[in-house]
Amino acid sequence: NPSQWACLNQCPECGQLWHIDIAKANQIGICVKVADRAAWEKLDTTHARIDLMVQNHGGLSFDICKWKQCNKNCVKGLAFCPEHAYFKMDIKA
């Protein structure tokens, strides 16, 4: 449940709901639009965080991930693809 570590905010102007959490440890804080409270309670921000980490590094390179039997492109400046960088090497920012 995201309410344990994030909050749901509503724009006073347009009524849009936003998931907002604050950076923890080596992570980046993130804001995500949500349709309603039910969608927020089921929200998984993992892919948004991986995408943000890749963007922060300038995208992907043409190098191939060094993780055994992985053929995906590396995050620029790293030796691993987005998933291995995020989940195995704990690169969150």
Side-chain angles (χ1 to χ4, degrees), residues 14-61:
C14 69
Q16 173 66 54
L17 294 173
W18 290 89
H19 160 92
I20 300 176
D21 68 48
I22 298 171
K24 303 174 289 291
N26 64 340
Q27 288 193 342
I28 296 172
I30 194 167
C31 298
V32 178
K33 286 183 183 184
V34 292
D36 54 35
R37 189 172 216 28
W40 180 64
E41 290 174 355
K42 294 185 276 183
L43 182 66
D44 181 354
T45 61
T46 304
H47 291 293
R49 291 179 183 285
I50 292 171
D51 290 345
L52 184 58
M53 180 268 294
V54 172
Q55 288 177 23
N56 287 343
H57 282 87
L60 298 176
S61 71

Side-chain angles (χ1 to χ4, degrees), residues 81-93:
C81 69
E83 290 77 18
H84 286 121
Y86 189 88
F87 293 112
K88 301 297 185 184
M89 304 306 295
D90 202 33
I91 299 170
K92 308 289 193 216

